Amino acid sequence: MNEQQQTLWQFMSGQSDKLLSQTLQHVGLTFISLILAIAIGLPLGILIARKRKLSGTVLGIAGVLQTIPSIALLGFMIPVLGIGAKPAIVALLIYALLPIIRNTYTGIIGIDQHVKEAARAMGMSKGQILLKVELPLAMPVILAGIRTATVINVGVATLASFIAAGGLGEFIFGGISLNNTNMILAGAIPAALLAILLDALLSLVQKMDVKKLRKALYIFPVVILVLGGFYALPSAYGSTLTAGFTPEFMGRQDGDLGLKSTYGLKIHTIVISDAVMYKAAYAKELDVISGYSTDGRLKAFDLKILKDDKNIFPPYYAAPIVRDEALKQFPELEKTLNLLSGKITDSIMTDLNYRTDYLHQQPERVAKDFLISTGLYKAAKNGQKGTVRIGSKIFGEQYILAEIYSMLIKGNTDYAVSTKTGLGGTKICFDALMNDQIDFYPEYTGTGLLVLLQPNPTIAKEMAHDKEKTYDYVSAEFQRKFKIKWLKPIGFNNSYALMMRQKQSKELNVNSITDLKKYLDKN
Amino acid sequence: MIELKEISKKFGDTQAVKQVFFRVAREETLVLLGTSGCGKTTTLKMINRLIEPDAGQIFINDKNITDEDPNVLRKGIGYVMQNIGLFPHYTIAENIALVPKLLKWDKAKIINRTHELIEKLHLTENTLSMYPHELSGGQQQRVGLARALITDPSVLLMDEPFGALDNVTRTSIQKEFKALEELKRKTIVMVTHDVLEAFELADRICLMDKGEVVQIGTPKELLYQPINDFARNFLAGQRLALAFKVINIQDIWSYLPEEIIHHGESETAELSIWEAMELLRNKDRFELFISGANKTIKSINFEQLTKGFNQYQNAQLHE
């Protein structure tokens, strides 16, 4: 543990530049959206306190907005606002809105009627009553709302990294993808501290007596503005094209680091979530993205894979990995899972992905259609001899594979199946397997090698480009280290790939990564 | 001078006020008396346009108030309410200075006037920097009164001003209120459901029921010439106490003993029976010397006072 902390400290001091800029971005995002939320929420709260008939509708809408899952909200915004700071700020603003509107409303409604009547009877105008009576008296409640909104925003702002808006989420989600605990903590700890600190500061302001509060009220907006100013909008573009890479790709030898060292590629890069990356490329927000070669969205959004002419992307052959104990517990399992071995090629997988991602067919249906067409489908036996637990990562391909395996097991054995799909990344999936939460999930040889085993660079380099060597190496090492067995590969190779829009690729005459580098150097 | 002409107001289906009319002369105190829900407070609030009437007209100093900007109108009318409605986030000084600040008085003038008022209202200097919640109910009501009086408005509206106070505090504040020179120069409309308070403070009383005026008259008229059963029954429970308040020595002069020669101090015959009794209750005074209308003096003790009062009462009832 001590060692762990030390290495965390080392990681943080080694990455202090990045940490500082991410923290400032985080604070900036939180406060810019907070200012906007106050600018919108406060007047709305006042309005519905005046016209109470509207209160149900306005609070209802703000409440519904609040319940939209954050990643979905970010996704909705890409077609309209693109990626980067703008949609992130708008999303945060939407989440901050409800507590501010609601507390402004309750604060004003809660003021003693007699005080309001006295104010009217003294001849104060509506504006005077608002500024001198209602707002000051409602202020403690309004501040409580702002406080809630701030804490919510610090939390949700971690998701801003999904759409290239920066913040501490870059470390957190990068760390989850890369199985790097220190990286996760380097993002999560400052984010938590930030939430606690801001909450404490605002509670101080809230507890100040009304008299002092009047002065604090003038300072408050200034502080918010300064903090909001930390967020320098993404600086001027360094190149004519913009790349969007996932946090995982950014941190990997066979990703951005390899692109830089092997190809010498210099491109303006932003960090973005896999979930929205393709859409952003399609919407021309991004020009180059780090996709997966079998991704259905490749077909859906008409993207072209740039040829990896210097072979930096290692093979990623998919195969189920199973705990030894599960193989003992379910003797039929290995044989059943191997039924799929060699059955799905790259193009079949891309097509299956296309059906779910673009045609929006259910993974169950896609899985069943596939099994029927290959003659592997058998009706479920509804057996009760124990339950096999299948895991999957949180993207379409893994959902389909999980469904296929589920049907194969139900049709060919007497086992029942429970699926735990949508585990948010390699680390989470693998930890679930190691901790006996699932029995198997589909993994990729390259991920097993570079993310889970992390051998020294010379071994990695030696292995990385040979399909057989990689598979043999990970099989042996997993067995030795983790007591986990790699079953036979399914067939397709879902490796990393750089992609561009077909049309742009033609226009610029860029077909390989080397072409891309040449184009960038010229412009 | 305030005049209401055929004022009516409906809230939904309820007729809160129905063709109410009255006239309050300059420097007169009119008390609107009635049970809760009789429309007296609604009537009062229409005078400073906190509530707008559905029909009828209201004139203050011969000007129709609907022609005035309500905020300007209200700044010129003092308003005291039962719940006082002090601003909890303002100090006492700031609460008192509210209207002058709206009127942009200069600071020195506000400070002078504030000090003048707190002295008259028996508030101490150190309360000025306190907040309302630090004051007792009685003190808060004095502050409420100071806030209403600071600009020396000619009209003062009071909505159950002593209603929230305990009996002891109420009696003492009522007394101070009655003695306050400042208030004698004002045209006052006051709302109360307390008959004794009405008789104590009113020049004239407007008795209301179910949104309508039942009877308007001096306390004595209400007591001895009730217009109907409602008016009679309304006062029934407290007739004796009320009579003690409205009848003065001059009224029962002829039922008192013979005149005497006396050269010492004497009390005025304007003294009410109640006040005379209170003076006589002091144990060192067995008799009072009262100077009547023609500078004549009579000496009375407690027995003679009650006897004279009883004879007067009998005579009134048999008229």
PDB file of all heavy atoms in Angstrom, chain B residues 15 31 42 61 91 115 124 130 142-143 164 202 221 224 305 313-314 316:
ATOM      1  N   GLN B  15     -68.714  37.939  -1.232  1.00  0.00           N
ATOM      2  CA  GLN B  15     -68.812  39.397  -1.206  1.00  0.00           C
ATOM      3  C   GLN B  15     -68.132  39.860   0.078  1.00  0.00           C
ATOM      4  O   GLN B  15     -68.720  39.792   1.160  1.00  0.00           O
ATOM      5  CB  GLN B  15     -70.278  39.819  -1.236  1.00  0.00           C
ATOM      6  CG  GLN B  15     -70.497  41.314  -1.315  1.00  0.00           C
ATOM      7  CD  GLN B  15     -70.371  41.841  -2.743  1.00  0.00           C
ATOM      8  OE1 GLN B  15     -70.917  41.270  -3.684  1.00  0.00           O
ATOM      9  NE2 GLN B  15     -69.624  42.913  -2.922  1.00  0.00           N
ATOM     10  N   VAL B  31     -62.515  53.992  14.057  1.00  0.00           N
ATOM     11  CA  VAL B  31     -62.154  52.587  14.248  1.00  0.00           C
ATOM     12  C   VAL B  31     -63.157  51.709  13.519  1.00  0.00           C
ATOM     13  O   VAL B  31     -64.356  51.866  13.679  1.00  0.00           O
ATOM     14  CB  VAL B  31     -62.126  52.236  15.757  1.00  0.00           C
ATOM     15  CG1 VAL B  31     -61.977  50.726  15.932  1.00  0.00           C
ATOM     16  CG2 VAL B  31     -60.986  52.957  16.443  1.00  0.00           C
ATOM     17  N   THR B  42     -60.166  44.288   4.737  1.00  0.00           N
ATOM     18  CA  THR B  42     -60.239  44.519   3.288  1.00  0.00           C
ATOM     19  C   THR B  42     -60.537  45.990   3.012  1.00  0.00           C
ATOM     20  O   THR B  42     -59.923  46.613   2.146  1.00  0.00           O
ATOM     21  CB  THR B  42     -61.340  43.630   2.670  1.00  0.00           C
ATOM     22  OG1 THR B  42     -61.114  42.281   3.059  1.00  0.00           O
ATOM     23  CG2 THR B  42     -61.331  43.734   1.156  1.00  0.00           C
ATOM     24  N   ASN B  61     -58.206  63.601   1.000  1.00  0.00           N
ATOM     25  CA  ASN B  61     -58.086  65.056   0.811  1.00  0.00           C
ATOM     26  C   ASN B  61     -58.664  65.482  -0.541  1.00  0.00           C
ATOM     27  O   ASN B  61     -58.048  66.210  -1.312  1.00  0.00           O
ATOM     28  CB  ASN B  61     -56.633  65.503   0.938  1.00  0.00           C
ATOM     29  CG  ASN B  61     -56.100  65.226   2.333  1.00  0.00           C
ATOM     30  OD1 ASN B  61     -56.855  65.270   3.310  1.00  0.00           O
ATOM     31  ND2 ASN B  61     -54.821  64.919   2.419  1.00  0.00           N
ATOM     32  N   THR B  91     -31.491  46.420  10.133  1.00  0.00           N
ATOM     33  CA  THR B  91     -31.446  46.818  11.538  1.00  0.00           C
ATOM     34  C   THR B  91     -32.677  47.669  11.833  1.00  0.00           C
ATOM     35  O   THR B  91     -33.398  48.080  10.922  1.00  0.00           O
ATOM     36  CB  THR B  91     -30.198  47.666  11.846  1.00  0.00           C
ATOM     37  OG1 THR B  91     -30.271  48.857  11.058  1.00  0.00           O
ATOM     38  CG2 THR B  91     -28.924  46.921  11.533  1.00  0.00           C
ATOM     39  N   HIS B 115     -34.171  59.753  15.823  1.00  0.00           N
ATOM     40  CA  HIS B 115     -33.948  59.947  17.255  1.00  0.00           C
ATOM     41  C   HIS B 115     -35.134  60.591  17.939  1.00  0.00           C
ATOM     42  O   HIS B 115     -35.495  60.214  19.048  1.00  0.00           O
ATOM     43  CB  HIS B 115     -32.672  60.754  17.478  1.00  0.00           C
ATOM     44  CG  HIS B 115     -31.434  59.922  17.307  1.00  0.00           C
ATOM     45  ND1 HIS B 115     -30.752  59.868  16.121  1.00  0.00           N
ATOM     46  CD2 HIS B 115     -30.807  59.065  18.131  1.00  0.00           C
ATOM     47  CE1 HIS B 115     -29.743  59.028  16.237  1.00  0.00           C
ATOM     48  NE2 HIS B 115     -29.757  58.524  17.453  1.00  0.00           N
ATOM     49  N   THR B 124     -34.921  52.582  23.273  1.00  0.00           N
ATOM     50  CA  THR B 124     -33.587  53.043  23.659  1.00  0.00           C
ATOM     51  C   THR B 124     -32.680  53.127  22.437  1.00  0.00           C
ATOM     52  O   THR B 124     -32.892  52.460  21.431  1.00  0.00           O
ATOM     53  CB  THR B 124     -32.956  52.094  24.694  1.00  0.00           C
ATOM     54  OG1 THR B 124     -33.075  50.776  24.212  1.00  0.00           O
ATOM     55  CG2 THR B 124     -33.639  52.236  26.038  1.00  0.00           C
ATOM     56  N   MET B 130     -29.805  46.979  16.484  1.00  0.00           N
ATOM     57  CA  MET B 130     -30.210  45.578  16.605  1.00  0.00           C
ATOM     58  C   MET B 130     -31.066  45.155  15.420  1.00  0.00           C
ATOM     59  O   MET B 130     -31.486  45.977  14.610  1.00  0.00           O
ATOM     60  CB  MET B 130     -31.024  45.378  17.887  1.00  0.00           C
ATOM     61  CG  MET B 130     -30.227  45.550  19.156  1.00  0.00           C
ATOM     62  SD  MET B 130     -31.320  45.190  20.537  1.00  0.00           S
ATOM     63  CE  MET B 130     -30.238  45.469  21.908  1.00  0.00           C
ATOM     64  N   ARG B 142     -43.521  49.192  18.545  1.00  0.00           N
ATOM     65  CA  ARG B 142     -43.114  50.601  18.594  1.00  0.00           C
ATOM     66  C   ARG B 142     -42.282  50.951  17.359  1.00  0.00           C
ATOM     67  O   ARG B 142     -42.434  52.026  16.779  1.00  0.00           O
ATOM     68  CB  ARG B 142     -42.271  50.876  19.839  1.00  0.00           C
ATOM     69  CG  ARG B 142     -43.068  50.885  21.124  1.00  0.00           C
ATOM     70  CD  ARG B 142     -42.120  50.774  22.312  1.00  0.00           C
ATOM     71  NE  ARG B 142     -42.756  50.043  23.396  1.00  0.00           N
ATOM     72  CZ  ARG B 142     -43.313  50.636  24.438  1.00  0.00           C
ATOM     73  NH1 ARG B 142     -43.282  51.935  24.564  1.00  0.00           N
ATOM     74  NH2 ARG B 142     -43.907  49.923  25.370  1.00  0.00           N
ATOM     75  N   VAL B 143     -41.404  50.013  16.961  1.00  0.00           N
ATOM     76  CA  VAL B 143     -40.597  50.257  15.765  1.00  0.00           C
ATOM     77  C   VAL B 143     -41.504  50.358  14.535  1.00  0.00           C
ATOM     78  O   VAL B 143     -41.337  51.230  13.682  1.00  0.00           O
ATOM     79  CB  VAL B 143     -39.545  49.139  15.565  1.00  0.00           C
ATOM     80  CG1 VAL B 143     -38.806  49.329  14.242  1.00  0.00           C
ATOM     81  CG2 VAL B 143     -38.577  49.107  16.723  1.00  0.00           C
ATOM     82  N   ALA B 164     -51.200  41.492  18.366  1.00  0.00           N
ATOM     83  CA  ALA B 164     -50.263  40.400  18.647  1.00  0.00           C
ATOM     84  C   ALA B 164     -49.630  40.517  20.032  1.00  0.00           C
ATOM     85  O   ALA B 164     -48.801  39.700  20.384  1.00  0.00           O
ATOM     86  CB  ALA B 164     -49.179  40.371  17.578  1.00  0.00           C
ATOM     87  N   ALA B 202     -61.154  55.339  19.842  1.00  0.00           N
ATOM     88  CA  ALA B 202     -61.886  55.920  18.718  1.00  0.00           C
ATOM     89  C   ALA B 202     -62.508  57.263  19.036  1.00  0.00           C
ATOM     90  O   ALA B 202     -62.959  57.507  20.155  1.00  0.00           O
ATOM     91  CB  ALA B 202     -62.977  54.949  18.273  1.00  0.00           C
ATOM     92  N   GLU B 221     -72.824  56.950  21.353  1.00  0.00           N
ATOM     93  CA  GLU B 221     -73.995  56.677  20.507  1.00  0.00           C
ATOM     94  C   GLU B 221     -74.174  55.177  20.314  1.00  0.00           C
ATOM     95  O   GLU B 221     -75.280  54.649  20.357  1.00  0.00           O
ATOM     96  CB  GLU B 221     -73.848  57.364  19.148  1.00  0.00           C
ATOM     97  CG  GLU B 221     -74.137  58.858  19.205  1.00  0.00           C
ATOM     98  CD  GLU B 221     -73.687  59.587  17.943  1.00  0.00           C
ATOM     99  OE1 GLU B 221     -72.986  58.968  17.114  1.00  0.00           O
ATOM    100  OE2 GLU B 221     -74.028  60.753  17.802  1.00  0.00           O
ATOM    101  N   TYR B 224     -75.512  53.705  23.708  1.00  0.00           N
ATOM    102  CA  TYR B 224     -76.857  54.044  24.192  1.00  0.00           C
ATOM    103  C   TYR B 224     -77.901  54.085  23.095  1.00  0.00           C
ATOM    104  O   TYR B 224     -79.090  54.043  23.375  1.00  0.00           O
ATOM    105  CB  TYR B 224     -76.821  55.362  24.962  1.00  0.00           C
ATOM    106  CG  TYR B 224     -76.053  55.210  26.263  1.00  0.00           C
ATOM    107  CD1 TYR B 224     -74.830  55.814  26.454  1.00  0.00           C
ATOM    108  CD2 TYR B 224     -76.586  54.410  27.288  1.00  0.00           C
ATOM    109  CE1 TYR B 224     -74.125  55.645  27.628  1.00  0.00           C
ATOM    110  CE2 TYR B 224     -75.880  54.233  28.463  1.00  0.00           C
ATOM    111  CZ  TYR B 224     -74.650  54.844  28.637  1.00  0.00           C
ATOM    112  OH  TYR B 224     -73.972  54.664  29.787  1.00  0.00           O
ATOM    113  N   LEU B 305     -69.355  58.473  43.571  1.00  0.00           N
ATOM    114  CA  LEU B 305     -69.118  58.316  42.138  1.00  0.00           C
ATOM    115  C   LEU B 305     -69.996  57.206  41.567  1.00  0.00           C
ATOM    116  O   LEU B 305     -70.705  57.387  40.574  1.00  0.00           O
ATOM    117  CB  LEU B 305     -67.640  57.998  41.909  1.00  0.00           C
ATOM    118  CG  LEU B 305     -67.187  57.842  40.449  1.00  0.00           C
ATOM    119  CD1 LEU B 305     -67.307  59.174  39.713  1.00  0.00           C
ATOM    120  CD2 LEU B 305     -65.766  57.327  40.379  1.00  0.00           C
ATOM    121  N   GLN B 313     -77.106  56.062  34.586  1.00  0.00           N
ATOM    122  CA  GLN B 313     -77.404  54.885  33.764  1.00  0.00           C
ATOM    123  C   GLN B 313     -78.909  54.643  33.711  1.00  0.00           C
ATOM    124  O   GLN B 313     -79.473  54.436  32.645  1.00  0.00           O
ATOM    125  CB  GLN B 313     -76.740  53.632  34.365  1.00  0.00           C
ATOM    126  CG  GLN B 313     -75.282  53.481  34.057  1.00  0.00           C
ATOM    127  CD  GLN B 313     -75.054  52.804  32.707  1.00  0.00           C
ATOM    128  OE1 GLN B 313     -75.205  53.452  31.672  1.00  0.00           O
ATOM    129  NE2 GLN B 313     -74.690  51.540  32.719  1.00  0.00           N
ATOM    130  N   ASN B 314     -79.565  54.667  34.919  1.00  0.00           N
ATOM    131  CA  ASN B 314     -81.008  54.439  34.980  1.00  0.00           C
ATOM    132  C   ASN B 314     -81.760  55.460  34.152  1.00  0.00           C
ATOM    133  O   ASN B 314     -82.672  55.121  33.395  1.00  0.00           O
ATOM    134  CB  ASN B 314     -81.489  54.500  36.432  1.00  0.00           C
ATOM    135  CG  ASN B 314     -81.083  53.234  37.175  1.00  0.00           C
ATOM    136  OD1 ASN B 314     -80.901  52.192  36.535  1.00  0.00           O
ATOM    137  ND2 ASN B 314     -80.919  53.324  38.479  1.00  0.00           N
ATOM    138  N   GLN B 316     -80.663  57.105  31.568  1.00  0.00           N
ATOM    139  CA  GLN B 316     -80.446  56.867  30.139  1.00  0.00           C
ATOM    140  C   GLN B 316     -81.349  55.754  29.624  1.00  0.00           C
ATOM    141  O   GLN B 316     -81.958  55.873  28.567  1.00  0.00           O
ATOM    142  CB  GLN B 316     -78.981  56.462  29.886  1.00  0.00           C
ATOM    143  CG  GLN B 316     -77.976  57.547  30.113  1.00  0.00           C
ATOM    144  CD  GLN B 316     -78.110  58.673  29.109  1.00  0.00           C
ATOM    145  OE1 GLN B 316     -78.308  58.451  27.927  1.00  0.00           O
ATOM    146  NE2 GLN B 316     -78.055  59.909  29.591  1.00  0.00           N
TER     147      GLN B 316
END
